[in-house]
Amino acid sequence: MRTSPHLSRRALLTAAAASVTAGVTAAAAAPSQASVAHRPRPSTAFTGFRTVGRVKKAADGWVQYTWPGIAFEGRFCGTGVGIMLDDSANDYDVQIDGTTVSTLVTPGRTTSWVEDLADAEHTVRLVKRTECPWAAGRFGGFIAARGGEVLAAPTARSRQIEYIGDSFTAGYGNASGTRDCSANGGVDRNSNADLAFGALTARKLDADYQQNAFSGRGMVRNYNGSDPGTDFRTYYDRALLNVVGDVWQKPRSWRPQVVVIGLGINDFSTPLHPGEPWAAQSELIAAYASAYHGFLDKLRARYGRGTFLVVSATPVSGTAFAETTQAIVRDRNARGDDRVGYWYYDDPGLDRLGCDWHPSLRDHQIISGLLDQHLATLALDW
């Protein structure tokens, strides 16, 4: 098959590194640099795709989005497919029949083509690898090559998982293979949300998922006390993170059986500074616990009592993160909600060789396996 080349660049995300210890070394592949072609659009109108993740329809019929891991899935018959994009900030993987065939690096406004396929029915999936909270990407649809046809969109999967978190959930810098990735493309060129632990687990379960992750954000405190007055909850309800007051309109079809929450690394991984709202860690812990309970109340009201809410923690500086989240779960269980659970993940094999000591591709595979084991203990009726 043949694809066509284009490369561009954008500023790095604000780092959201956690202070964690290193283990065994493992190599991780950097993203390939793929190509796109500019050519007249064939007469076949685009149609027939479904979205995975939060998107918003634009006035011209395209869809806009900002969260990582947004995916578009379609079916077509013929020898090729065009992908209509308008995004100079993010990177994408193009997958045909389940195999990644190219990486589109900040493609801009273009139609990217995959050609020279067997003349048959194929699946196509476009997935957003990177984070760019302040610039919305736009997708215009799939187009079949001349003589082919875009088919009806694939059906939604019955299993649904929502992931809520920070840079670990987003797959920040996971493809780097070195903690200092400034010399090998930076954070964006080395991030792949589609190979983060949540996406890996969802695919193993054949589940649709949302990857609602924002690097550097915490439940009440952002990394190193940055951007005071905001936190993850400021943005959670939005489809477009860069639009103040935007509200995602939840479709009735989105009823996840499981929500996995990973917020606290940024709250607790760095010491408090003078002038922050909390004079001591005990005050931060109290504020964090109160906000977390409120957030769980919100999720419970949105998704009902049948959804499992998984409160996760992992090693950071000190024990406050793990101990506080565990206490929150005990409190919820004592109140009678037995579908709130605690998942602590760590493994001696984690090497933290992603950018800025983040989990590597290998680490995400390990963490996904640990999540698989936890989910297997839940009485999921799916």
Side-chain angles (χ1 to χ4, degrees):
M1 66 191 66
R2 180 163 56 87
T3 60
S4 32
H6 182 78
L7 177 63
S8 176
R9 178 120 168 80
R10 76 174 174 89
L12 303 181
L13 290 169
T14 301
S19 300
V20 287
T21 55
V24 182
T25 300
S32 63
Q33 295 176 355
S35 60
V36 296
H38 298 265
R39 65 172 67 185
R41 175 180 158 189
S43 58
T44 308
F46 68 85
T47 184
F49 63 85
R50 61 181 297 267
T51 62
V52 178
R54 296 184 179 185
V55 301
K56 194 157 195 171
K57 192 170 183 179
D60 59 4
W62 288 47
V63 291
Q64 309 170 85
Y65 43 87
T66 52
W67 293 101
I70 300 293
F72 303 95
E73 299 177 342
R75 299 165 54 244
F76 67 97
C77 62
T79 60
V81 64
I83 300 158
M84 299 177 65
L85 276 169
D86 183 5
D87 191 346
S88 298
N90 291 287
D91 297 354
Y92 297 82
D93 276 347
V94 178
Q95 298 164 357
I96 301 294
D97 300 331
T99 298
T100 298
V101 298
S102 65
T103 296
L104 309 179
V105 179
T106 60
R109 186 173 182 113
T110 189
T111 300
S112 174
W113 287 88
V114 178
E115 298 175 301
D116 299 336
L117 302 170
D119 191 358
E121 182 175 327
H122 302 277
T123 62
V124 56
R125 181 173 182 261
L126 177 76
V127 60
K128 179 174 177 276
R129 294 168 58 117
T130 44
E131 286 185 83
C132 188
W134 311 124
R138 286 164 38 91
F139 172 72
F142 299 118
I143 308 170
R146 198 171 301 279
E149 180 184 7
V150 173
L151 304 175
T155 58
R157 298 168 181 86
S158 60
R159 296 176 176 179
Q160 298 177 341
I161 306 175
E162 181 171 338
Y163 297 102
I164 294 171
D166 48 37
S167 54
F168 279 37
T169 303
Y172 175 107
N174 56 353
S176 172
T178 176
R179 293 166 190 141
D180 180 0
C181 57
S182 58
N184 67 339
V187 174
D188 292 345
R189 303 294 81 79
N190 287 286
S191 293
N192 192 339
D194 203 40
L195 296 179
F197 69 85
L200 295 174
T201 287
R203 278 197 293 281
K204 283 181 276 187
L205 292 169
D206 192 29
D208 280 337
Y209 63 95
Q210 289 187 1
Q211 210 163 343
N212 299 327
F214 196 158
S215 290
R217 302 288 162 168
M219 183 64 77
V220 296
R221 179 177 185 257
N222 301 323
Y223 178 72
N224 205 30
S226 62
D227 203 5
T230 69
D231 51 51
F232 182 87
R233 295 170 301 152
T234 307
Y235 303 95
Y236 172 68
D237 286 330
R238 300 182 188 180
L240 301 179
L241 295 167
N242 60 330
V243 179
V244 175
D246 183 58
V247 177
W248 176 62
Q249 302 299 321
K250 184 186 83 66
R252 284 184 291 180
S253 59
W254 184 247
R255 302 267 317 180
Q257 294 95 340
V258 183
V259 179
V260 180
I261 308 126
L263 292 170
I265 293 173
N266 295 301
D267 297 86
F268 295 114
S269 62
T270 56
L272 290 169
H273 304 296
E276 291 198 62
W278 314 279
Q281 190 179 63
S282 59
E283 294 181 11
L284 173 61
I285 289 171
Y288 174 85
S290 176
Y292 215 126
H293 278 296
F295 194 65
L296 292 174
D297 289 341
K298 180 186 190 116
L299 293 173
R300 185 56 79 213
R302 174 174 288 180
Y303 295 132
R305 294 192 60 82
T307 296
F308 285 91
L309 306 179
V310 177
V311 174
S312 73
T314 194
V316 295
S317 301
T319 60
F321 181 25
E323 291 175 353
T324 306
T325 47
Q326 196 166 22
I328 289 168
V329 172
R330 284 198 301 266
D331 191 6
R332 304 298 291 202
N333 295 160
R335 298 183 197 179
D337 191 344
D338 61 357
R339 294 206 166 194
V340 178
Y342 179 67
W343 173 50
Y344 181 84
Y345 63 91
D346 190 19
D347 189 278
L350 298 178
D351 55 46
R352 279 100 179 182
L353 282 175
C355 298
D356 304 317
W357 290 81
H358 280 70
S360 64
L361 291 177
R362 177 175 174 268
D363 291 348
H364 278 279
Q365 292 176 344
I366 293 172
I367 296 167
S368 173
L370 297 174
L371 179 57
D372 296 344
Q373 293 172 21
H374 180 79
L375 296 181
T377 68
L378 306 182
L380 287 163
D381 182 19
W382 62 7

